[in-house]
């Protein structure tokens, strides 16, 4: 006989919080597009209205974690950060985007989803709730959902960037070890680089504020020396990160090559 699977369906956030409080083994599920099999005990949140809401403000968008990627996509390129919109339309197929949720894309464990790098670059914030309190964390501090909490909301900042680059590498329709998303954002002011964001995510996650600060304040156009120095520092950072990951040499080489070439291409947009 196969293993027994227990499934609950929630209509309200309070239903989920009660189950999290009373059952440490329960796992939250949305569309399950990243799962090959269900957990032993799971609770589905797709039918919770609160988690399917989009609240658009002047400077940000609050998005419930059960919002589908197609719902976000329908807001249009003019109402979303360009790199996030590009991440959306480069995710799988329209059929999958009708089912997959932003929460599931963020919480993908082994390989980060296509929206992770854009959200990381724009400094998105995540709301977690348990039966007692609400926590707000920048996505840069997110490793996994805290025990007993659920991810309920994503705040998407709305900022304009002079240079915005989004690229996806690997398979167009599936996530594997060679898949990754790259984001480069830059603002300029009075002939100087005033802000810079670089994010890369897939089998590993890379964003480093010290790395970005190395170039912020540089005069434009960037010199070949500036670009080469940034590439060398970035290569060292990448190599230090992969030491902690059980990845094949071929995967490491593929991701390293993609990251550095995309970074070089993006930096050259500032020359």
């Amino acid at each position: 006989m196969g293993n027994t699977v227990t499934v609950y369906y929630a209509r309200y956030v309070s239903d989920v919080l009660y189950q999290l409080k009373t059952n440490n083994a329960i796992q939250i599920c949305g569309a399950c597009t990243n799962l090959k099999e269900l957990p032993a005990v799971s609770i589905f949140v797709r039918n919770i209205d609160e988690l399917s809401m989009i609240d658009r403000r002047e400077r940000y968008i609050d998005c419930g974690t059960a919002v589908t990627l197609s719902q976000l996509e329908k807001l249009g390129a003019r109402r979303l950060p360009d790199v996030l919109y590009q991440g959306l339309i480069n995710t799988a197929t329209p059929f999958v985007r009708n089912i997959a949720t932003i929460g599931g894309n963020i919480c993908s464990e082994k390989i980060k989803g296509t929206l992770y790098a854009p959200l990381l670059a724009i400094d998105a914030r995540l709301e977690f709730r348990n039966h007692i309190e609400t926590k707000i964390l920048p996505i840069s501090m997110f490793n996994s959902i805290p025990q007993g909490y659920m991810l309920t909301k994503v705040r998407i900042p709305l900022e304009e960037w002079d240079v915005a680059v989004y690229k996806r590498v690997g398979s167009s329709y599936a996530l594997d070890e060679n898949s990754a998303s790259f984001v480069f954002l830059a603002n300029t002011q009075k002939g100087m680089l005033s802000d810079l964001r670089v994010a890369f995510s897939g089998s590993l996650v890379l964003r480093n504020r010290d790395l970005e600060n190395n170039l912020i304040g540089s005069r434009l156009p960037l010199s070949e020396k500036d670009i080469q120095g940034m590439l060398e520092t970035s290569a060292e950072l990448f190599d230090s990160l992969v030491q902690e990951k059980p990845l094949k040499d071929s995967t490491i080489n593929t991701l390293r090559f993609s990251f550095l070439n995309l970074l070089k291409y993006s930096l050259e947009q500032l020359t």
Side-chain angles (χ1 to χ4, degrees):
M1 296 180 62
N3 294 330
T4 301
V5 174
T6 302
V7 177
Y8 297 92
Y9 291 89
R11 294 187 59 190
Y12 305 100
V13 169
S14 58
D15 297 337
V16 184
L17 298 181
Y18 172 79
Q19 292 293 339
L20 289 173
K21 178 183 176 182
T22 58
N23 190 342
N24 291 333
I26 201 165
Q27 294 190 41
I28 297 173
C29 293
C32 295
T33 54
N34 290 323
L35 292 180
K36 294 183 179 180
E37 59 183 31
L38 287 176
V41 185
S42 57
I43 184 166
F44 279 78
V45 299
R46 282 295 301 272
N47 295 324
I48 299 178
D49 290 340
E50 181 182 344
L51 300 184
S52 300
M53 301 295 290
I54 297 174
D55 182 14
R56 188 171 182 272
R57 303 295 180 94
E58 183 178 354
R59 295 186 178 182
Y60 62 85
I61 294 173
D62 276 342
C63 178
T65 50
V67 169
T68 66
L69 305 193
S70 62
Q71 283 179 272
L72 271 178
E73 183 183 348
K74 287 176 183 176
L75 291 178
R78 293 184 179 181
R79 295 182 178 180
L80 290 170
D82 180 68
V83 291
L84 181 61
Y85 184 77
Q86 292 301 317
L88 286 165
I89 63 176
N90 280 281
T91 300
T93 65
F95 175 77
V96 172
R97 295 198 292 273
N98 282 335
I99 302 172
T101 63
I102 187 171
N105 196 280
I106 291 171
C107 295
S108 178
E109 293 183 358
K110 292 184 179 179
I111 302 169
K112 294 301 183 184
T114 49
L115 303 187
Y116 201 88
L119 292 170
L120 183 61
I122 63 177
D123 288 334
R125 301 181 76 82
L126 306 179
E127 178 188 277
F128 300 93
R129 287 162 63 180
N130 68 7
H131 66 289
I132 296 175
E133 64 177 352
T134 298
K135 287 184 177 182
I136 307 293
L137 291 177
I139 194 172
S140 59
M141 296 180 62
F142 174 66
N143 293 311
S144 61
I145 297 177
Q147 181 67 34
Y149 286 78
M150 67 179 296
L151 175 61
T152 51
K153 191 182 296 182
V154 182
R155 176 161 291 184
I156 302 168
L158 300 176
E159 298 178 78
E160 294 186 1
W161 295 87
D162 297 321
V163 177
V165 177
Y166 173 91
K167 297 291 183 182
R168 179 177 175 180
V169 299
S171 171
S172 299
Y173 301 111
L175 292 177
D176 57 35
E177 286 189 340
N178 294 320
S179 300
S181 293
F182 171 88
V183 171
F184 179 95
L185 299 171
N187 272 336
T188 63
Q189 188 175 11
K190 296 181 179 179
M192 300 182 69
L193 184 62
S194 58
D195 200 357
L196 177 68
R197 315 274 180 86
V198 178
F200 187 76
S201 68
S203 298
L204 54 83
V205 175
L206 190 158
R207 184 171 175 219
N208 186 284
R209 199 57 182 162
D210 289 337
L211 175 70
E212 297 162 351
N213 287 337
N214 285 339
L215 276 187
I216 291 176
S218 298
R219 292 196 173 277
L220 299 176
L222 293 180
S223 66
E224 290 187 10
K225 181 179 179 181
D226 289 333
I227 293 175
Q228 189 58 37
M230 181 69 165
L231 291 174
E232 290 175 359
T233 304
S234 300
E236 292 173 1
L237 177 60
F238 183 95
D239 292 341
S240 67
L241 284 177
V242 297
Q243 291 178 4
E244 305 169 6
K245 300 289 182 179
L247 299 175
K248 299 176 184 176
D249 288 344
S250 59
T251 296
I252 292 172
N253 292 336
T254 297
L255 294 177
R256 189 181 194 273
F257 177 84
S258 298
F259 170 62
L260 293 177
N261 275 275
L262 289 169
L263 180 57
K264 183 175 185 293
Y265 163 81
S266 301
L267 290 169
E268 287 173 348
Q269 308 309 301
L270 299 175
T271 60

